[in-house]
């Protein structure tokens, strides 16, 4: 965990800065850190919502020869991901451009600065449209604090948030648990196979919406995994053995 103090700066993207977008602001901040503008030079971790944002910003930053730009997202090969853990001494500043995989899943060593635009792609399922989406949303206070702590591991760090303190204080304290924002068909199927009783009666820490549970049952019924009465079928048992989405399991 974080063991050193972290100094937090809020930079509200208003006026002309908002028109340029966060990428231009991040590039300017990286140049400022490279020039020693915040007291000393040091490795930087930048959080971005997705792969495309990372590629576009990496293209801008690679014009500066004093920076070692390292993308980090889940689809990268293992060898590419391992580059962020190479902290060999040198004059170049490492700039790690990461999705929220670097928030809790892994720790990038040697980080002195965190630049946080305060956005992430968060998976949400709509039971009305039957679509699982990945909209870009403001992160919760807990996620923002996790990001802030990434630069307080080896020495005192600096976290630069590209939003106002008032915006931070208005955000929800925690991110919604995944069970409250995802398609529950797979959950319902596994619970039926394991004999855990009615989903509605199960003592979840964060109970999902009853409409999401009904939507899960309806989908399983369409796929032939359960009967109209909600009883598991032989096909449903075979589907549950495959660790994939129930629609793919049925195929």
């Amino acid at each position: 965990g974080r063991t050193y103090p972290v100094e937090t700066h809020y930079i509200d993207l208003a006026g002309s800065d908002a028109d340029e977008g966060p990428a231009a602001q991040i590039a300017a901040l990286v140049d400022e850190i490279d020039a020693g503008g915040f007291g000393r030079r040091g490795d930087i971790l930048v959080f971005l919502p997705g792969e495309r944002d990372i590629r576009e910003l990496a293209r801008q930053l690679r014009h500066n020869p004093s920076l070692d730009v390292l993308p980090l997202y889940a689809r990268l090969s293992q060898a590419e991901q391992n580059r962020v853990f190479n902290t060999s001494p040198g004059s170049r500043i490492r700039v790690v451009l990461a999705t929220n995989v670097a928030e809790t899943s892994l720790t990038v060593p040697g980080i002195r600065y965190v630049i946080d635009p305060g956005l992430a792609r968060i998976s949400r399922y709509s039971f009305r449209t039957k679509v699982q989406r990945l909209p870009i949303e403001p992160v919760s206070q807990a996620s923002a604090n996790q990001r802030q702590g990434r630069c307080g591991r080896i020495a005192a760090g600096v976290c630069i948030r590209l939003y106002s303190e008032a915006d931070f204080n208005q955000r929800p304290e925690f991110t919604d648990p995944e069970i409250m924002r995802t398609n529950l068909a797979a959950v319902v199927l596994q619970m039926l196979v394991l004999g855990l009783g009615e989903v509605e009666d199960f003592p979840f820490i964060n109970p999902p919406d009853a409409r999401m549970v009904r939507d899960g049952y309806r989908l399983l019924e369409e796929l032939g995994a359960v009967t109209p009465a909600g009883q598991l079928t032989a096909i449903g048992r075979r589907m549950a053995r495959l660790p994939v989405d129930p629609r793919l399991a049925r195929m």
Side-chain angles (χ1 to χ4, degrees):
R2 176 167 65 85
T3 53
Y4 293 91
V6 174
E7 184 184 338
T8 304
H9 298 268
Y10 291 91
I11 300 177
D12 191 7
L13 289 181
S16 60
D17 289 343
D19 295 335
E20 290 177 0
Q25 182 76 22
I26 291 167
L29 285 167
V30 169
D31 288 340
E32 191 176 343
I33 293 167
D34 183 29
F38 285 87
R40 59 167 295 171
R41 297 171 82 238
D43 291 348
I44 307 166
L45 173 60
V46 182
F47 285 96
L48 292 163
E51 214 177 295
R52 187 176 68 178
D53 308 273
I54 288 173
R55 281 199 298 266
E56 288 176 357
L57 183 57
R59 202 175 301 121
Q60 286 186 48
L61 296 177
R62 285 193 173 117
H63 295 305
N64 186 340
S66 65
L67 303 177
D68 186 12
V69 181
L70 303 168
L72 179 62
Y73 47 87
R75 286 207 318 157
L76 274 179
S77 69
Q78 192 67 45
E80 287 285 324
Q81 289 189 33
N82 285 341
R83 288 178 62 208
V84 304
F85 301 110
N86 179 15
T87 56
S88 55
S91 60
R92 294 207 302 171
I93 287 179
R94 292 187 315 139
V95 182
V96 179
L97 308 178
T99 58
N100 51 359
V101 70
E103 198 175 290
T104 53
S105 303
L106 54 83
T107 298
V108 180
I111 296 300
R112 290 292 180 91
Y113 292 91
V114 164
I115 299 176
D116 177 20
L119 300 171
R121 286 195 180 275
I122 297 175
S123 175
R124 291 200 181 274
Y125 176 73
S126 168
F127 64 87
R128 290 189 181 89
T129 61
K130 315 295 183 197
V131 173
Q132 188 92 24
R133 301 175 302 121
L134 275 172
I136 295 175
E137 299 180 3
V139 299
S140 65
Q141 292 183 19
S143 287
N145 290 333
Q146 279 281 358
R147 293 177 173 195
Q148 178 196 55
R150 301 288 104 183
C151 59
R153 299 302 179 91
I154 57 165
V158 176
C159 175
I160 303 165
R161 290 174 171 165
L162 303 186
Y163 47 93
S164 67
E165 191 168 1
D167 182 357
F168 172 78
N169 292 328
Q170 289 170 0
R171 295 184 177 205
E173 193 174 353
F174 299 104
T175 308
D176 293 337
E178 190 170 1
I179 197 165
M180 299 179 72
R181 52 184 171 82
T182 193
N183 180 359
L184 295 181
V187 175
V188 172
L189 183 60
Q190 289 299 329
M191 289 183 69
L192 290 172
V193 169
L194 295 170
L196 299 180
E198 294 295 324
V199 179
E200 295 88 342
D201 301 330
F202 191 80
F204 289 107
I205 295 171
N206 299 99
D209 190 315
R211 292 171 299 180
M212 300 281 272
V213 175
R214 287 197 296 272
D215 179 77
Y217 270 111
R218 269 199 301 273
L219 176 58
L220 291 175
E221 187 183 334
E222 285 175 21
L223 298 175
V226 299
T227 65
Q231 302 300 312
L232 195 62
T233 65
I235 287 177
R237 287 191 184 281
R238 290 170 63 195
M239 286 167 58
R241 292 168 58 190
L242 299 172
V244 292
D245 182 274
R247 295 183 188 89
L248 298 177
R250 183 67 174 89
M251 290 179 203

